[in-house]
Amino acid sequence: MPLPAQFDAIVVGAGAAGMMCAGVAGQRGRRVLLVEHHPAIGEKIRISGGGRCNFTNVNAGPGNYLSQNPEFCRSALSRFTPRDFLALIERHGIAWHEKKLGQLFCDDSARQIVDMLQTECTRGGVTWWHPCAIEGVAREGDAFAVTTSRGRARAPSLVVATGGLTVPKIGATPFGYRVAEQFGLPVVAPRPALVPLAFPPDLLLRYGDLSGVAVDAEVSCASGRFRENLLFTHRGLSGPAILQISSYWDARTALSIDLLPGVDVRAWWSTEKSRARLDHLLATRLPRRFAHAWCAAHDALRPLAALGATRRETLARGLADWQVRPSGTLGWNKAEVTLGGVDTRALSSQTMAARDLPGLYFVGEVVDVTGWLGGYNFQWAWASAHAAAQVL
């Protein structure tokens, strides 16, 4: 059997975190092997942000992330900030712009971010094995041995940057979780996040024909509360507000939806002298088709004055707290990120290394750190990868 190729570090996964880690470590003088099984590099970057890559968020901080160990992300995020990533893309001449809520996008194409990361790897002398399937990982003395379709490689450091389970068609697999479990690290059960939610049959019957209708709403569940657009689909609810709250939804409880945030419905109605039906009145502030469907579902297709004080009070409460209990999510193919992953309590927040196994690192989405919608998950990829690369 031929001797394994020798490196200082082997990085598995050529997505955002993997390429970032490999490039930074290579430019620190480390001999790095980057292994990727999928034929296309950085596909999740390429398809993100409508093809323009929402590559970070200027507001990124620990409060924008979910984890069973919520303080874990603080160290890495503080040591590699959105400003640090902006400095990198500006060195590469990539034009960018800011959209709402601190979201930063490429002016041109997400492909520029992929090309930039590949260039950074080239500058670091990174060796690529791509496409290359990994057949096994083992601990051999003080090093890790990786058996692949291109042969064996050995290094004292192994970085797992294989992402989560979202969008299987572009290469997502549970490989990273299996490596963690193989070496005794716990894994928080992964589930889809930033994902559309499905209506149960009764709500689908009432609202299923509203596909494409958007409502400015405030949606809350558990500790999450977001005011953004809510979008009706042919299967349920989507839009930024729903994608955000999906990360907080426990698959059992109802969502609370304020359909008229900032509006004092009772005061509005008390000054309303029109004999118009309630749905026509609501259509002055809500999409007409939704106003009709909501009133029909609440048996309120009548003039406001004909409803009576008690009934008006019930309807006012319902508009401020529309209770919707989804039947489930639309699954991994529609999710943007994975909630859960390698338990951060088994990792060093300074280095991303396994506490009980020197040389084994986990970075990016494979870790139990999940950001809000809007560039936060890419910032975690850059920051966690950078933290690991500093100590390889």
Side-chain angles (χ1 to χ4, degrees):
M1 179 182 295
L3 293 174
Q6 300 290 328
F7 296 92
D8 295 319
I10 300 170
V11 179
V12 182
M19 285 191 283
M20 182 72 173
C21 186
V24 172
Q27 290 181 48
R28 293 184 60 245
R30 304 301 185 263
R31 295 170 300 154
V32 181
L33 170 64
L34 182 55
V35 185
E36 171 57 50
H37 76 105
H38 196 261
I41 294 294
E43 277 294 271
K44 201 165 184 184
I45 299 172
R46 186 187 64 79
I47 66 174
S48 67
R52 291 192 174 177
C53 188
N54 180 189
F55 55 80
T56 192
N57 193 296
V58 298
N59 301 313
N64 306 113
Y65 295 84
L66 289 81
S67 173
Q68 291 198 2
N69 181 15
E71 289 297 308
F72 177 84
C73 63
R74 183 179 297 276
S75 175
L77 291 171
S78 68
R79 288 181 291 129
F80 191 84
T81 68
R83 183 63 253 177
D84 292 320
F85 192 75
L86 272 178
L88 176 61
I89 71 166
E90 287 171 349
R91 287 200 298 273
H92 284 258
I94 299 173
W96 57 275
H97 61 278
E98 181 175 344
K99 287 190 176 181
K100 64 178 184 176
L101 304 175
Q103 302 168 13
L104 305 188
F105 291 78
C106 297
D107 283 357
D108 186 10
S109 167
R111 184 72 215 180
Q112 293 175 292
I113 301 295
V114 179
D115 292 344
M116 176 192 78
L117 293 169
Q118 288 183 284
T119 297
E120 288 293 300
C121 288
T122 298
R123 289 175 178 173
V126 173
T127 299
W128 287 77
W129 286 4
H130 162 255
C132 177
I134 293 183
E135 298 164 357
V137 175
R139 181 76 167 169
E140 294 183 352
D142 59 355
F144 291 90
V146 178
T147 303
T148 80
S149 57
R150 291 198 179 189
R152 296 177 75 242
R154 199 169 183 273
S157 296
L158 175 67
V159 182
V160 179
T162 50
L165 299 177
T166 51
V167 200
K169 65 185 178 182
I170 61 172
T173 75
F175 177 86
Y177 310 136
R178 290 173 180 163
V179 171
E181 291 167 344
Q182 175 184 343
F183 292 107
L185 279 72
V187 174
V188 177
R191 60 185 179 88
L194 300 183
V195 62
L197 301 175
F199 275 147
D202 60 328
L203 292 184
L204 192 60
L205 183 64
R206 292 170 180 163
Y207 302 105
D209 64 349
L210 297 181
S211 182
V213 172
V215 177
D216 173 24
E218 185 172 89
V219 185
S220 57
C221 184
S223 62
R225 181 182 297 271
F226 299 93
R227 180 175 177 178
E228 291 192 66
N229 272 355
L230 171 158
L231 178 69
F232 288 86
T233 73
H234 69 286
R235 296 180 64 183
L237 294 173
S238 188
I242 293 298
L243 297 183
Q244 294 279 38
I245 210 65
S246 69
S247 297
Y248 293 81
W249 183 57
D250 63 4
R252 297 185 303 275
T253 56
L255 309 180
S256 173
I257 302 176
D258 184 348
L259 293 166
L260 294 168
V263 176
D264 185 336
V265 176
R266 295 166 184 82
W268 170 34
W269 286 355
S270 70
T271 61
E272 184 57 51
K273 306 301 183 185
S274 171
R275 294 180 177 273
R277 279 188 348 195
L278 180 59
D279 58 318
H280 296 166
L281 186 59
L282 290 179
T284 63
R285 296 176 183 263
L286 292 167
R288 177 185 56 81
R289 290 169 58 204
F290 172 69
H292 179 87
W294 191 88
C295 287
H298 291 80
D299 190 25
L301 291 173
R302 284 173 278 174
L304 180 64
L307 289 167
T310 301
R311 184 75 178 121
R312 288 198 300 271
E313 175 61 25
T314 299
L315 290 167
R317 287 199 304 268
L319 287 165
D321 182 21
W322 182 34
Q323 293 282 301
V324 174
R325 183 173 283 103
S327 61
T329 76
L330 295 197
W332 295 113
N333 279 318
K334 299 296 183 181
E336 296 200 15
V337 293
T338 301
L339 192 70
V342 178
D343 194 327
T344 58
R345 288 166 290 199
L347 304 177
S348 163
S349 63
Q350 297 288 318
T351 66
M352 305 293 120
R355 293 184 181 278
D356 297 330
L357 187 57
L360 179 61
Y361 301 79
F362 293 86
V363 298
E365 190 181 346
V366 72
V367 174
D368 176 33
V369 174
T370 304
W372 288 2
L373 183 72
Y376 296 99
N377 288 289
F378 275 127
Q379 185 57 37
W380 170 246
W382 317 135
S384 60
H386 189 268
Q390 296 305 303
V391 295
L392 292 179

